[in-house]
Amino acid sequence: MDLLWFCLASYGITQIIVYGTIFNKIRPSKDWLNGFGELFHCPMCMGFWVGLLLWSINPYTQLFSFDYSPITAFLLGCVSSGTSYVLSIAFDDDGIQIG
């Protein structure tokens, strides 16, 4: 159950950062810092860093509880990245994308 909450939280946070209109004014352009701004427009890339953020605040929440090791951090970043990417491809503002 911990992994499900983690995946849902990482997907939600990633969606807000990458696609949320509230961040339009502060989200850097894709070519900011020689392309580093692409991070803020890519759910797979941002998903990884959101996963690391969630792992780092892990002791402060009761939604999920994971081991506090660098390997776990990396793996959760990868899980968050993959989940955020797959769900962003499967769902958009028009609903479920089939085909």
Side-chain angles (χ1 to χ4, degrees), residues 65-93:
S65 177
F66 294 106
D67 167 277
Y68 209 65
S69 73
I71 298 298
T72 302
F74 176 73
L75 292 175
L76 287 176
C78 292
V79 167
S80 174
S81 174
T83 301
S84 296
Y85 179 71
V86 167
L87 290 177
S88 72
I89 295 298
F91 301 100
D92 70 4
D93 291 343

Side-chain angles (χ1 to χ4, degrees), residues 4 6 12 18 25-26 40 46 59-61 74-75 83 85-86 99:
L4 176 63
F6 176 83
V18 173
K25 291 186 180 189
I26 61 171
F40 296 91
M46 184 54 70
Y60 305 106
T61 181
F74 176 73
L75 292 175
T83 301
Y85 179 71
V86 167

Side-chain angles (χ1 to χ4, degrees), residues 8-9 13 19 24 28 31-32 34-35 37 41 43-44 47 50 52-53 64 66 71 81 83 86 95 98:
L8 290 174
I13 294 169
Y19 300 114
N24 282 348
D31 35 324
W32 177 70
N34 296 325
H41 297 268
M44 184 182 290
V50 167
L52 288 183
L53 170 75
F64 43 81
F66 294 106
I71 298 298
S81 174
T83 301
V86 167
I98 300 173

Side-chain angles (χ1 to χ4, degrees), residues 4 7 20 27 33 38-39 45 47 49 73 78 81 83 87 94 98:
L4 176 63
C7 288
R27 187 180 302 117
L33 282 179
E38 181 71 33
L39 169 72
C45 306
W49 294 107
C78 292
S81 174
T83 301
L87 290 177
D94 297 324
I98 300 173

